[in-house]
Amino acid sequence: QLQLQESGPGLVKPSETLSLTCTVSGGSISSSRYYWGWIRQPPGKGLEWIGNIYYRGSTYSNPSLKSRVTISVDTSKNQFSLRLNSVTAADTAVYYCARYYYESGSNWFDPWGQGTLVTVSS
Amino acid sequence: SSELTQDPTVSVALGQTVRITCQGDSLRNYYASWYQQKPGQAPLLVIYGKNNRPSGIPDRFSGSSSGNTASLTITGAQAEDEADYYCTSRDSSGNLLEVFGTGTKVTVL
């Protein structure tokens, strides 16, 4: 059974860079069928898509975050990562990673990691 | 980019049927997927594609689509169905960009 687990610092200072890693177990990140995604949820608010990456490195990011977001993949470790620079308090959120599947006319995220809370504060 | 709009709150009596809607231009070209999120938990996929349920999702959950509106229907709502529900779809630009709906809080009375 595929599982995803987010890891990284729970506290980041304003203007610094948020860095998270998602470790995939129970399956290969190098599957040609899937992308891998990051989604976040500020406390008490809705879900926001951050971006997706394919195992060969192609990425798609939310235009509202694109200038600050870097998503990368390490197939040797079965991991993919998120870097978000110049963070502010507005970036405080629970960050989720998930597997993303798409086909003509349809797409979905499944399964999801449990999420990790990142707080931006000095 | 696209937007997906959902009613903020919906209530349903125990055992009755509730429909949650998601509106947006991208839904004319792409199916929505639907996620259930309970407090303190990660979202859980409940419907994907035209009307597909992942393994383990009860058959009281179903999906449909018409024009720019996608719907998630819970037929015979149970107490455990009380949760937030989100739709998502690809951006109408045709690129692999995703957008989430604003979310609907479902209360089972």
Side-chain angles (χ1 to χ4, degrees):
Chain A
Q1 181 179 356
L2 191 82
Q3 293 185 317
L4 296 89
Q5 178 69 58
E6 306 88 353
S7 60
L11 181 63
V12 181
K13 290 182 168 57
S15 80
E16 295 191 346
T17 297
L18 178 159
S19 295
L20 296 174
T21 296
C22 182
T23 300
V24 178
S25 59
S28 174
I29 202 170
S30 300
S31 170
S32 61
R33 297 184 63 195
Y34 304 109
Y35 276 69
W36 304 89
W38 288 100
I39 303 100
R40 71 180 183 178
Q41 185 172 37
K45 296 187 178 181
L47 299 168
E48 179 181 32
W49 174 69
I50 299 172
N52 293 341
I53 189 165
Y54 193 54
Y55 78 97
R56 291 185 175 177
S58 55
T59 60
Y60 297 87
S61 300
N62 189 323
S64 69
L65 299 170
K66 189 172 184 177
S67 63
R68 298 196 291 131
V69 166
T70 302
I71 300 175
S72 59
V73 62
D74 186 336
T75 55
S76 68
K77 295 182 179 179
N78 229 32
Q79 296 176 334
F80 62 106
S81 298
L82 170 70
R83 287 173 58 86
L84 180 67
N85 59 34
S86 304
V87 297
T88 68
D91 295 310
T92 294
V94 175
Y95 286 76
Y96 297 99
C97 59
R99 184 177 65 180
Y100 176 75
Y101 182 78
Y102 87 96
E103 58 187 16
S104 177
S106 186
N107 40 271
W108 58 91
F109 292 98
D110 182 61
W112 295 56
Q114 65 184 26
T116 187
L117 174 63
V118 179
T119 301
V120 178
S121 175
S122 55
Chain B
S1 64
S2 301
E3 292 184 350
L4 295 177
T5 303
Q6 300 179 238
D7 291 330
T9 61
V10 171
S11 60
V12 58
L14 185 67
Q16 295 304 301
T17 296
V18 62
R19 175 175 289 182
I20 305 160
T21 60
C22 173
Q23 288 190 303
D25 287 342
S26 63
L27 299 176
R28 297 184 184 278
N29 299 309
Y30 302 105
Y31 290 113
S33 55
W34 290 91
Y35 304 85
Q36 176 193 71
Q37 187 180 34
K38 296 181 179 179
Q41 296 184 15
L44 175 70
L45 178 70
V46 294
I47 290 290
Y48 65 96
K50 188 174 183 180
N51 180 19
N52 301 296
R53 284 175 289 104
S55 174
I57 301 301
D59 61 4
R60 62 179 179 271
F61 289 90
S62 63
S64 61
S65 184
S66 179
N68 73 336
T69 301
S71 300
L72 172 70
T73 300
I74 308 174
T75 303
Q78 302 300 302
E80 60 264 33
D81 299 333
E82 184 163 295
D84 294 327
Y85 291 83
Y86 294 91
C87 60
T88 187
S89 176
R90 280 182 48 187
D91 183 271
S92 57
S93 69
N95 295 319
L96 276 183
L97 306 179
E98 282 291 305
V99 59
F100 278 91
T102 50
T104 298
K105 168 66 176 177
V106 172
T107 300
V108 180
L109 304 173

